[in-house]
Amino acid sequence: MSTVIEPTLAQSRPEDGPVQRILLEGVPWARYEQLSACFPDSRAPRITYIDGSLEIMSPVGPTHESWKITICYLLEAFLDVKGIRFYGRGGFTLKDTGRAGGEPDASYCIGTDKPEPDLVVEVVDTSNALSKLPLHGALGIPEVWLWRREQLEIYVLQKPGALSDRGYRLSDRSGLLPELDVELLAAHVRMPDQYDAVRAFRRSMAG
């Protein structure tokens, strides 16, 4: 088993503090399940398992949470204005038993409530974080939104069940929500005031 420890990766803002990251290779699935059971609280370390690779990240900071919540508010505003039924599923643990497991930042079912979400939202704080795309692809989740370097990346599933990043295709538009202006939403995520951003986004759709 090999170990990578990176204790001083910087977050977007100084008040968040450093991100602490430990990556273990060659870890059996049973060990992942044991560790996950030890940290049920939402402020516990984030644990991700992908095909023998186990990543442990320190709890997310306020900047991470702010990005996530703003994206979710804007997405929900769009769905509400367009009259699209949706169900927020939060960040509960997703598992493809024996192969992959982890918690998304947020997730949604579109149209009807389902056991697995249709859309997952992830905020990526560090460039070398373990990709969760294989987890979502293995579970057949149709779409993943990554907020990375203040840009919104839309990944549309191409190969359900694939335990690799290649199961998804990077797209300039949402497959689930083709009417959504992705660049417009991203521009409102970057606005400094969350409340103003949501109101401005609603006005842009009304006009």
Side-chain angles (χ1 to χ4, degrees), residues 22-35:
I22 298 175
L23 179 63
L24 305 174
E25 301 287 357
V27 179
W29 174 259
R31 181 55 56 86
Y32 162 71
E33 291 198 309
Q34 289 171 352
L35 285 171

Side-chain angles (χ1 to χ4, degrees), residues 22-103:
I22 298 175
L23 179 63
L24 305 174
E25 301 287 357
V27 179
W29 174 259
R31 181 55 56 86
Y32 162 71
E33 291 198 309
Q34 289 171 352
L35 285 171
S36 295
C38 292
F39 301 106
D41 186 80
S42 61
R43 289 296 301 163
R46 305 292 293 273
I47 302 174
T48 303
Y49 182 91
I50 306 289
D51 196 25
S53 297
L54 179 73
E55 180 185 68
I56 303 173
M57 297 277 285
S58 57
V60 298
T63 301
H64 180 111
E65 286 294 281
S66 180
W67 288 130
K68 179 197 75 174
I69 293 170
T70 301
I71 293 167
C72 290
Y73 282 170
L74 294 171
L75 170 59
E76 291 168 14
F78 172 84
L79 295 169
D80 180 52
V81 168
K82 298 299 181 181
I84 299 172
R85 187 178 294 270
F86 68 95
Y87 299 85
R89 300 296 304 280
F92 68 99
T93 300
L94 300 173
K95 288 184 181 180
D96 178 38
T97 303
R99 299 203 301 169
E103 302 86 29

Side-chain angles (χ1 to χ4, degrees), residues 69-150:
I69 293 170
T70 301
I71 293 167
C72 290
Y73 282 170
L74 294 171
L75 170 59
E76 291 168 14
F78 172 84
L79 295 169
D80 180 52
V81 168
K82 298 299 181 181
I84 299 172
R85 187 178 294 270
F86 68 95
Y87 299 85
R89 300 296 304 280
F92 68 99
T93 300
L94 300 173
K95 288 184 181 180
D96 178 38
T97 303
R99 299 203 301 169
E103 302 86 29
D105 286 316
S107 59
Y108 292 86
C109 290
I110 307 298
T112 60
D113 203 2
K114 309 173 184 72
E116 302 292 353
D118 296 304
L119 171 62
V120 160
V121 176
E122 300 278 11
V123 176
V124 181
D125 295 307
T126 63
S127 59
N128 54 358
L130 190 64
S131 173
K132 293 184 182 178
L133 287 177
L135 165 63
H136 303 321
L139 292 170
I141 294 172
E143 194 160 299
V144 178
W145 292 9
L146 295 187
W147 182 256
R148 176 162 43 195
R149 294 184 292 274
E150 299 194 19

Side-chain angles (χ1 to χ4, degrees), residues 6-14 16-20 124-127:
E6 296 165 343
T8 57
L9 297 175
Q11 283 267 30
S12 301
R13 298 175 184 171
D16 289 339
V19 175
Q20 296 184 351
V124 181
D125 295 307
T126 63
S127 59

